[in-house]
Amino acid sequence: MAGSNNPNITPPRWLLAELSYKCPLQCPYCSNPLDYAKYPDELGTEDWKRVLSQARQMGAVQLGFSGGEPLTRRDLPELVRHARDLGYYSNLITSGYGLTEAKIVELKQAGLDHIQVSIQASTQELNDHIAGTESYQHKQEVAKLVKKHGYPMVLCVVIHRENIHQMPEILAMAEALGADYLELANTQYYGWAHANRDLLLPTQEQFEEAEKIAQAYKEKVAGKMKIYYVIPDYYEDRPKACMNGWGTTFLTIAPDGVALPCHSARELPGLDCPNVKDYSIAEIWNESKAFNFFRGYDWMKEPCRSCDEKEKDFGGCRCQAYLMTGDMYNADPVCSKSPHHHVIQEAIDSAKETALAAEEKPLIFRNSKNSKRF
Ligand code: FES
């Protein structure tokens, strides 16, 4: 691949470094690929440093360390230090499991800017059930330690049918923990969440009720705690501008070095995603087939092609179009203008039927034994 002088290609701004697919938790809504066990290789420290340097050189400013669980990497402080030297704003996206006070101090000294801790529910029983691992008490302690060491306390709770009834308690828990930011992220149905959708998707009534409670709380704690309620797109009639447009802003590097235009792109057929071991970030971003696949508007079919909203939503999410219609060129079926919009209602109906069924279906937890089935 040669370098590019295409003026229409803007540089990446956000780099998501998925350091490892290893994770001590087993959340059934994880967005990692179902078959992640097929990719056990991980980039070495020097490879990651080169990736960070090259992306920064192109203009990336925000860096997320995620996974799996990024804390499983022993070289995390070294990578954080490198990111600080390069001038990134760095964010650790963690389950908190395995984080200790000594590690927080070490990461702070290395220059980490931000820590986001996830909690699965407001009670130990449900948290530990969803996480598939006993972790509630430790997460509570970690949240307090993050605050103690001068970080803004950013709590993330993924919302789904198993915990949506706890909305009032989740809000109270976040306030009691002194959270500065609470992200209530309605599950996005990719990866493991898609496989478990019938068991995780709440009803519209549940969504509306939960949103009402969250909005009221937002007013109550205004100035003290910021609440972000991430709207579930199955109950919208226009799609999200996924990734802010393909190949415009976001660059994800998977643990084995595969560069992805979005975190789920590994599931799309025929993209030939390049590996950072073979190409520079500039070559990948500017020239690779994968990053140019859905850039701009030429790839669009109707109704997106002639739609007057295409510059706002870019046809929605390519992965959602593929997962739900079998064709990644289709309009995101969330859009009411899509001829496939009915598949959204079918998914909602199927989830409702599962919820009402007498026989309980088990969740598929995200672990390597289950991953080998895919
Ligand atoms: Fe892949 Fe939306 S998650 S394009």
Side-chain angles (χ1 to χ4, degrees), residues 190 240 242-243 246 262-265 268 316-320:
Y190 304 98
K240 56 185 178 283
C242 201
M243 298 293 118
W246 188 271
C262 77
H263 55 278
S264 293
L268 299 177
C317 175
R318 295 305 84 224
C319 299
Q320 191 142 270

Side-chain angles (χ1 to χ4, degrees), residues 343-360:
V343 298
I344 298 285
Q345 192 54 49
E346 284 161 18
I348 292 169
D349 292 346
S350 168
K352 203 167 184 175
E353 267 170 41
T354 308
L356 295 173
E359 214 171 301
E360 235 177 80

Side-chain angles (χ1 to χ4, degrees), residues 101 104 108 115 117 140-154 174-181 224-225:
E101 184 155 26
I104 294 173
K108 180 114 196 181
I115 302 178
V117 179
Q140 297 271 323
E141 279 152 32
V142 162
K144 288 178 199 149
L145 287 172
V146 164
K147 183 118 180 151
K148 178 181 162 191
H149 286 278
Y151 283 105
M153 223 273 265
V154 187
E175 192 183 1
L177 284 171
D180 298 288
Y181 301 91
K224 201 165 121 195
M225 176 168 88

Side-chain angles (χ1 to χ4, degrees), residues 226-239:
K226 279 209 167 77
I227 298 175
Y228 299 103
Y229 190 81
V230 181
I231 309 261
D233 60 359
Y234 278 34
Y235 291 106
E236 295 284 296
D237 63 0
R238 284 293 178 273

Side-chain angles (χ1 to χ4, degrees), residues 15-21 41-56 63-67 70 73-76 78-80 82-83 86 88 251-260 266 275-277 281:
L15 173 63
L16 186 67
E18 292 185 334
L19 297 183
S20 174
Y21 281 141
D41 293 349
E42 290 183 7
L43 288 180
T45 311
E46 294 311 313
D47 281 333
W48 275 118
K49 284 185 172 174
R50 189 183 69 248
V51 166
L52 265 47
S53 301
Q54 290 178 350
R56 181 76 187 103
L63 170 64
F65 289 110
S66 81
R73 290 280 300 216
R74 288 226 198 102
D75 55 359
L76 182 61
E78 188 175 345
L79 297 176
V80 166
H82 188 67
L86 292 167
Y88 275 106
L251 167 64
T252 296
I253 309 296
D256 58 349
V258 168
L260 304 167
R266 205 160 204 160
N275 196 300
V276 297
K277 289 187 203 152
I281 296 296

